Amino acid sequence: MSSDGAGPAAAAVRFTGLAADSERPLSGALTEVSLDGGHVVMVKRGDDPRAVRAEAAGLRWLADAGAVPVPAVHGHDERWLVTDRVPTGRPSPEAAVRLGRGLAALHAAGAPAFGAPPPGGPEDAYIGLAPMRNVCGDDWPRWYAEHRVLPYLRRAVDDGTLRGSEAAVVERVCERLPELGVPDEPPARLHGDLWNGNVLWGADGQAWLIDPAAHGGHRETDLAMLHLFGCPHLEHVLDGYRQTAPLAPGWRERIGLHQLFPLLVHAVLFGRGYAEQALEAARGALAT
């Protein structure tokens, strides 16, 4: 266990007020710390103070909705974030239906504007390891193009991951966004990085959300991201969602349109394979 007063255990002690018994590194950035009394917390190291601040604010904003369980935040500073550990279980259809209902309630809790950061969260935030700017807008098509698609498209072209001639198809999607059928709805309170890895199936029979890139957005974007890498019992999640908040006709055909954002983020972070998927999603959006 770290004894220099600056490691994960020291952060856990500082933000919980409990003595640390042991620590178990789970990755380069994540450590499980056991505390007196049997309490266990997760300590996450951030390389940018804005990333730590954004995640802490996002978790609290999602928790405020009282819709989907998220780990409690014990505290954070410029380097460390300390949250409760979620004991994990197995996915079940029942938990998936509850998750869907909870997501619908979370989205309905709303946001002040598209792109609005959580209260106390920075404008310059992150989605995973990629910078993400939370700039507010009232017009979803314009905001989505300017602040969620085009910044990552330009970065991918600058990095050589996408050719300029290929970028044109994504730019056409951005130009045509107002006519591609995305329903005009008020800003939803989004998790913002809702892929399967950020859904924890708890031992308590509930699905918990972690690692948000929370902001105000269109609710279809969260659901499209949940489709991106698969999710256990996804149709049950969608059933629960639609029981609570029906989706506009054609929402399945718009999944690729909403996936442009995370696919381009992945292209910037991980390379050409995701760029090709983004191009396929863009062509599909134009064909609908």
Side-chain angles (χ1 to χ4, degrees), residues 168-194:
V169 66
V170 180
E171 292 168 344
R172 283 199 297 275
V173 172
C174 290
E175 292 166 3
R176 290 190 53 197
L177 269 172
E179 61 192 75
L180 292 181
V182 179
D184 184 12
E185 297 181 352
R189 187 171 305 192
L190 299 189
H191 175 279
D193 193 9
L194 193 60

Side-chain angles (χ1 to χ4, degrees), residues 58-240:
L59 285 169
R60 288 174 171 138
W61 195 43
L62 300 186
D64 285 347
V68 184
V70 298
V73 176
H74 289 281
H76 70 93
D77 57 21
E78 292 190 345
R79 186 180 183 192
W80 302 104
L81 170 66
V82 180
T83 65
D84 273 343
R85 182 194 63 165
V86 177
T88 54
R90 296 179 62 86
S92 71
E94 297 77 15
V97 170
R98 285 193 292 271
L99 172 60
R101 292 171 179 161
L103 285 173
L106 173 67
H107 292 161
F114 298 113
E123 181 177 289
D124 290 307
Y126 279 82
I127 177 167
L129 297 174
M132 182 185 78
R133 294 202 72 214
N134 284 323
V135 178
C136 292
D138 296 322
D139 178 70
W140 183 83
R142 179 181 300 174
W143 169 83
Y144 184 67
E146 291 182 1
H147 301 294
R148 290 296 179 266
V149 176
L150 292 176
Y152 303 99
L153 179 67
R154 296 184 189 113
R155 171 76 179 274
V157 171
D158 289 345
D159 291 347
T161 307
L162 269 170
R163 293 184 287 274
S165 58
E166 293 175 320
V169 66
V170 180
E171 292 168 344
R172 283 199 297 275
V173 172
C174 290
E175 292 166 3
R176 290 190 53 197
L177 269 172
E179 61 192 75
L180 292 181
V182 179
D184 184 12
E185 297 181 352
R189 187 171 305 192
L190 299 189
H191 175 279
D193 193 9
L194 193 60
W195 71 287
N196 178 47
N198 287 338
V199 178
L200 290 185
W201 302 90
D204 60 358
Q206 299 194 83
W208 294 63
L209 301 184
I210 61 169
D211 295 349
H215 61 278
H218 200 289
R219 63 189 180 126
E220 289 183 359
T221 304
D222 254 1
L223 298 181
M225 201 173 291
L226 203 56
H227 281 77
L228 192 54
F229 301 112
C231 175
H233 306 297
L234 179 55
E235 286 305 315
H236 287 89
V237 176
L238 295 171
D239 286 346

